[in-house]
Amino acid sequence: MSLRPALLACAFVLASGPAAAQAPYRSPQQILDAAPASDWRTPDPANLLYMELDTPPGAEGRIVIELAPDFAPRHVGNIRILARQGFWDGTGIYRAQDNFVVQFGDADGDDPAKAKSLGAAVTHLPAEFHRAAAGLAFDRLPDPDGWAPETGFVGGFPAGRDPEAGTAWLAHCYGTVGAGRNSADDSSLGAELYVVIGQSPRQLDDNITVVGRVLHGMERLSAIRRGPAPMGFYADPAERTPIKSIRLASDLPEAERLPLQVLRTDTPAFRDATEARRNRVDDFYKRPAGHIDLCNVPVPVRMAPR
Amino acid sequence: MSLRPALLACAFVLASGPAAAQAPYRSPQQILDAAPASDWRTPDPANLLYMELDTPPGAEGRIVIELAPDFAPRHVGNIRILARQGFWDGTGIYRAQDNFVVQFGDADGDDPAKAKSLGAAVTHLPAEFHRAAAGLAFDRLPDPDGWAPETGFVGGFPAGRDPEAGTAWLAHCYGTVGAGRNSADDSSLGAELYVVIGQSPRQLDDNITVVGRVLHGMERLSAIRRGPAPMGFYADPAERTPIKSIRLASDLPEAERLPLQVLRTDTPAFRDATEARRNRVDDFYKRPAGHIDLCNVPVPVRMAPR
């Protein structure tokens, strides 16, 4: 809240863990700045969607989404086909519900008379709400969570896990991308996607197929003018935000791709930065929380240093 | 996520509690629609701030904030003085940090050479991070929370409580309004206010003075174009969103006030609607969460029926 970044109180020490008790406090940013290059991964271009909004000249309209084929292989497969076909080009963001989601795709997708052709994409998919937890590296958070028996990160995505059921699923946090569906659990195709823009709607976890998360340009989606309550659909199609194109990064010339890197969540830097957020020790915070919720943990993204 | 509101599955029943087990499921909206008029309260006009943004003709620019004098009496007192003096008229929203806060007031407040006069407002206030829990009606939520020993609602505001310490405080949820400060705990005056526009930053709870919450017009604050990372302050003052005026409702003619009502949180309607959100039983949800976080519980606001 301060106008001035708070100074660090380096004489303070973390109370948790014998190693931490000996080290001076470092801010999350200091920890990230000191992380070795090997702590950062470059996402596979076949898993990156580049979305271009139709913005005024000079304004950047690019949004980058990382897809999660380990959790939603069938949906991601369909999304890749749709992107190659240019399915979303000329469609728009047709819903912006405050403190919930923006949603985009073919606004007439539910009307057989007006719906855009899905081309080579499949027209029925199974629900991919969760998957088997076995075989997944799960970087677990230390704190309890009311929504899931365990929470943590899988491949850079916030996730829940149920050891009894043996399942894992991607969580609905700020920036999570999911596949809109109607009432039937197998009614999503990946053509109609939503992005969380408010308080994490964790009640949707394991109730809908999550396909990825926004890595870049989130602030362009979150600041879109909201549609009317209660659901945020615009009454007038002219109010929609036009989408120029959505492409896979692997289908774009290298020169048009951003050098995005994501911090690996199985690294000491990620664990230490998360701990530095759980227990903040600086001039600003008077009472460290000693806790962090899954959706309060950022998974850092940066442009690769030259 | 559906384009069509899901149908209600009225044959289903709630599993929790003997009374609920006999009643058919009602959606939160159905419960609110059936609530008696006495379940709704009309906020005291002396506790309502009316903020007018300088918007294009035809667009509504009004935002209404309910102040919380039970938690921050000194800050609220100062805010009332500042509003009467027209302190904020002609200032602006000078910060919009994505997934965190918008902040408004005198952007030059920290610069003695440029700061606007505070007039009759006091220039030093004690921190009002928390208060004694004794004497407060606390409508408690049933679920555990990692940030506070107990969570619930006091006078319609989301709050935490520590029975051991005997303290209670207002929580940082979407729409919460707090008093910006520098590093010193007693460096806020209520002149510089922020509003939460993203995932609830609960780590700020009991670390800063919360003064109220937005009742109306939140979607105008949340859709403001974000300033540059990391803190969201605009580089160019022309990018700020101008504030035409901020007034107390009690200082406005009755004809200019909105007939806002807030659901009381000590009512069966509020408890039942919250339970209906904890365990959703309709065609859309396949797995009720059996849980809700403090900041996922809306405290409903409506225009009084004629």
Side-chain angles (χ1 to χ4, degrees):
Chain A
M1 307 298 102
S2 169
L3 288 172
R4 298 186 287 258
L7 296 171
L8 290 166
C10 289
F12 284 43
V13 292
L14 277 177
S16 69
Q22 285 153 31
Y25 181 79
R26 292 184 302 155
S27 73
Q29 192 58 52
Q30 287 177 309
I31 292 165
L32 295 186
D33 290 346
S38 56
D39 282 4
W40 297 85
R41 68 180 171 89
T42 299
D44 183 343
N47 291 338
L48 295 182
L49 282 183
Y50 275 55
M51 179 179 187
E52 283 287 342
L53 298 182
D54 197 3
T55 47
E60 193 193 338
R62 189 156 40 183
I63 291 137
V64 182
I65 294 166
E66 183 173 14
L67 299 169
D70 288 346
F71 281 84
R74 303 286 303 273
H75 281 74
V76 168
N78 229 27
I79 288 168
R80 288 193 185 118
I81 294 170
L82 292 166
R84 288 210 175 105
Q85 291 175 175
F87 172 80
W88 289 286
D89 304 7
T91 66
I93 298 172
Y94 54 76
R95 176 189 186 190
Q97 181 176 341
D98 195 46
N99 194 16
F100 193 40
V101 297
V102 294
Q103 190 167 316
F104 61 91
D106 179 11
D108 297 318
D110 274 3
D111 181 346
K114 294 193 197 166
K116 231 178 144 165
S117 165
L118 293 171
V122 301
T123 55
H124 176 260
L125 284 177
E128 297 180 299
F129 297 171
H130 58 247
R131 54 154 285 167
L136 282 184
F138 192 88
D139 303 314
R140 196 175 163 192
L141 284 175
D143 294 314
D145 180 278
W147 306 96
E150 297 176 354
T151 60
F153 295 85
V154 177
F157 295 96
R161 185 167 71 170
D162 184 340
E164 264 185 54
T167 55
W169 55 89
L170 296 186
H172 281 80
C173 295
Y174 194 84
T176 289
V177 184
R181 65 167 172 87
N182 293 318
S183 291
D185 60 357
D186 58 353
S187 58
S188 59
L189 295 169
E192 183 189 319
L193 297 172
Y194 64 88
V195 182
V196 173
I197 58 164
Q199 169 70 14
S200 47
R202 297 279 308 277
Q203 71 277 4
L204 292 173
D205 289 3
D206 201 6
N207 268 300
I208 201 158
T209 299
V210 171
V211 301
R213 78 167 182 117
V214 174
L215 296 188
H216 176 82
M218 183 61 203
E219 70 281 6
R220 280 180 275 284
L221 296 175
S222 57
I224 283 173
R225 202 172 52 79
R226 308 310 194 236
M231 306 266 295
F233 291 101
Y234 301 108
D236 177 358
E239 296 181 277
R240 296 174 189 154
T241 303
I243 296 173
K244 250 161 64 177
S245 65
I246 296 185
R247 291 285 179 278
L248 285 169
S250 48
D251 290 339
L252 290 176
E254 287 235 24
E256 290 179 26
R257 303 181 200 166
L258 297 171
L260 292 171
Q261 294 186 320
V262 184
L263 189 70
R264 296 170 56 113
T265 55
D266 60 352
T267 54
F270 183 74
R271 283 194 302 274
D272 292 350
T274 302
E275 179 57 32
R277 289 179 185 279
R278 290 182 73 244
N279 286 294
R280 299 192 191 235
V281 184
D282 60 30
D283 274 0
F284 187 81
Y285 282 88
K286 310 304 173 187
R287 194 183 64 91
H291 174 85
I292 200 160
D293 276 348
L294 177 65
C295 293
N296 289 91
V297 180
V299 179
V301 177
R302 71 172 185 182
M303 298 291 170
R306 296 180 186 201
Chain B
M1 305 300 100
S2 170
L3 288 171
R4 299 185 285 259
L7 297 171
L8 289 167
C10 289
F12 284 41
V13 293
L14 275 177
S16 69
Q22 285 152 32
Y25 181 80
R26 292 184 302 156
S27 73
Q29 191 58 52
Q30 287 177 310
I31 292 165
L32 296 186
D33 290 346
S38 56
D39 282 4
W40 297 85
R41 68 182 170 87
T42 299
D44 182 344
N47 292 337
L48 294 181
L49 282 183
Y50 275 55
M51 177 179 187
E52 284 287 342
L53 298 182
D54 196 3
T55 47
E60 192 192 338
R62 188 156 41 182
I63 290 137
V64 182
I65 293 166
E66 183 173 12
L67 299 169
D70 288 346
F71 282 83
R74 303 285 303 275
H75 281 74
V76 168
N78 228 27
I79 288 169
R80 289 192 185 116
I81 294 170
L82 291 167
R84 288 211 175 104
Q85 291 175 175
F87 172 79
W88 289 286
D89 305 6
T91 65
I93 298 172
Y94 55 76
R95 177 189 186 190
Q97 182 177 342
D98 194 47
N99 194 16
F100 193 40
V101 297
V102 293
Q103 189 167 317
F104 61 91
D106 179 9
D108 297 317
D110 274 3
D111 180 347
K114 295 191 196 168
K116 235 178 139 162
S117 164
L118 293 170
V122 302
T123 55
H124 176 259
L125 285 177
E128 297 180 299
F129 297 170
H130 58 248
R131 53 155 285 167
L136 281 184
F138 192 88
D139 303 315
R140 196 177 163 191
L141 283 176
D143 295 313
D145 181 278
W147 306 96
E150 297 177 354
T151 60
F153 295 86
V154 177
F157 296 97
R161 185 168 70 171
D162 184 341
E164 264 185 55
T167 55
W169 55 90
L170 296 186
H172 281 80
C173 295
Y174 195 84
T176 289
V177 183
R181 65 167 171 86
N182 292 319
S183 291
D185 61 356
D186 59 352
S187 57
S188 60
L189 295 169
E192 183 189 319
L193 298 172
Y194 63 87
V195 183
V196 173
I197 59 164
Q199 169 71 12
S200 47
R202 299 277 307 279
Q203 72 277 4
L204 292 173
D205 289 3
D206 201 6
N207 267 301
I208 200 157
T209 299
V210 172
V211 302
R213 78 168 182 118
V214 174
L215 296 187
H216 177 81
M218 183 61 202
E219 70 281 7
R220 279 180 275 284
L221 296 176
S222 56
I224 282 173
R225 202 171 55 77
R226 310 308 194 238
M231 307 266 295
F233 291 101
Y234 300 109
D236 176 359
E239 296 182 278
R240 295 173 189 154
T241 303
I243 295 173
K244 249 159 70 175
S245 65
I246 295 183
R247 290 285 179 278
L248 284 169
S250 49
D251 291 339
L252 290 176
E254 288 235 23
E256 290 179 26
R257 304 181 200 166
L258 296 172
L260 293 172
Q261 295 186 320
V262 184
L263 189 70
R264 296 171 55 114
T265 55
D266 60 351
T267 55
F270 182 74
R271 283 194 301 273
D272 292 351
T274 302
E275 180 56 31
R277 288 178 184 279
R278 290 182 74 244
N279 285 294
R280 298 194 191 232
V281 184
D282 59 30
D283 274 1
F284 187 82
Y285 282 88
K286 310 303 172 187
R287 193 184 65 89
H291 174 86
I292 200 160
D293 276 347
L294 177 65
C295 293
N296 290 91
V297 179
V299 179
V301 177
R302 70 172 186 184
M303 299 292 171
R306 297 181 186 198

